[in-house]
């Protein structure tokens, strides 16, 4: 379990884009690519910058359950996280969080930005043909 978590944290630190899956009103997955904020990342907290009008945010009214996925091309490994999203107030973030937006995030220039916090409940790592799993709720 500890080795899986260590691998997951390493991949989490180095990922620049995540595939984010939420569930729409018909029960189908809605998958989008989101770049995380460069705030401290952990399995407990991964922050994403989007807009309140996005399908991702709208889907959270139905269910906060979600999954995120990232892939490391250099060693063909992947990280899958199952968890929950929460829309958080920007006032809960460190002061000057806007200055942490990367160039792409700044170019989005959302009129009604939404900050999403993902909290992991379980982790699955695929590395060197081996899949390891850890339930983080234990």
């Amino acid at each position: 379990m500890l080795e899986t978590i260590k691998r997951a944290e390493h991949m989490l630190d180095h990922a620049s884009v995540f595939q984010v899956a939420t569930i729409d009103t018909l029960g189908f997955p809605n998958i989008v690519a989101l770049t995380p904020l460069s705030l401290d990342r952990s399995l407990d907290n991964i922050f994403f910058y989007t807009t309140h009008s996005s399908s991702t945010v709208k889907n959270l009214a139905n269910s906060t359950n979600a999954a995120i996925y990232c892939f490391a091309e250099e060693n063909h490994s992947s990280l899958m996280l199952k968890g929950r999203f929460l829309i958080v107030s920007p006032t809960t973030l460190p002061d000057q969080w806007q200055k942490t937006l990367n160039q792409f995030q700044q170019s989005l220039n959302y009129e009604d930005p939404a900050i999403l916090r993902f909290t992991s409940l379980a982790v699955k790592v695929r590395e060197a043909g081996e899949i390891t799993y850890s339930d983080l709720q234990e």
Side-chain angles (χ1 to χ4, degrees):
M1 178 172 142
L2 288 176
E3 187 61 33
T4 299
I5 292 172
K6 281 184 182 179
R7 288 189 219 167
E9 288 172 339
H10 176 77
M11 293 180 74
L12 188 64
D13 286 343
H14 293 87
S16 60
V17 177
F18 289 86
Q19 297 295 316
V20 174
T22 54
I23 303 299
D24 71 13
T25 57
L26 298 174
F28 285 92
N30 178 71
I31 302 170
V32 298
L34 292 179
T35 53
L37 291 175
S38 61
L39 301 171
D40 289 335
R41 284 186 230 170
S42 70
L43 293 172
D44 290 329
N45 292 302
I46 306 166
F47 293 95
F48 294 94
Y49 175 74
T50 188
T51 178
H52 279 91
S53 62
S54 71
S55 57
T56 301
V57 171
K58 289 176 182 177
N59 289 341
L60 298 181
N62 303 316
S63 174
T64 59
N65 292 334
I68 64 175
Y69 171 85
C70 66
F71 179 78
E73 190 171 5
E74 68 274 359
N75 63 357
H76 301 280
S77 60
S78 60
L79 170 64
M80 294 154 275
L81 299 172
K82 178 175 67 170
R84 292 200 174 91
F85 267 122
L86 179 66
I87 302 169
V88 298
S89 169
T91 60
T92 64
L93 300 177
D95 292 341
Q96 309 294 321
W97 69 268
Q98 294 95 337
K99 291 183 180 181
T100 69
L101 296 177
N102 65 31
Q103 188 175 4
F104 171 72
Q105 291 165 330
Q106 289 176 22
S107 74
L108 297 171
N109 197 27
Y110 291 131
E111 287 184 29
D112 191 17
I115 306 298
L116 303 179
R117 184 183 77 204
F118 183 83
T119 301
S120 305
L121 301 175
V123 58
K124 188 187 285 188
V125 174
R126 181 184 303 258
E127 192 172 48
E130 179 183 332
I131 297 174
T132 56
Y133 170 85
S134 182
D135 186 341
L136 302 174
Q137 300 177 80
E138 296 175 346

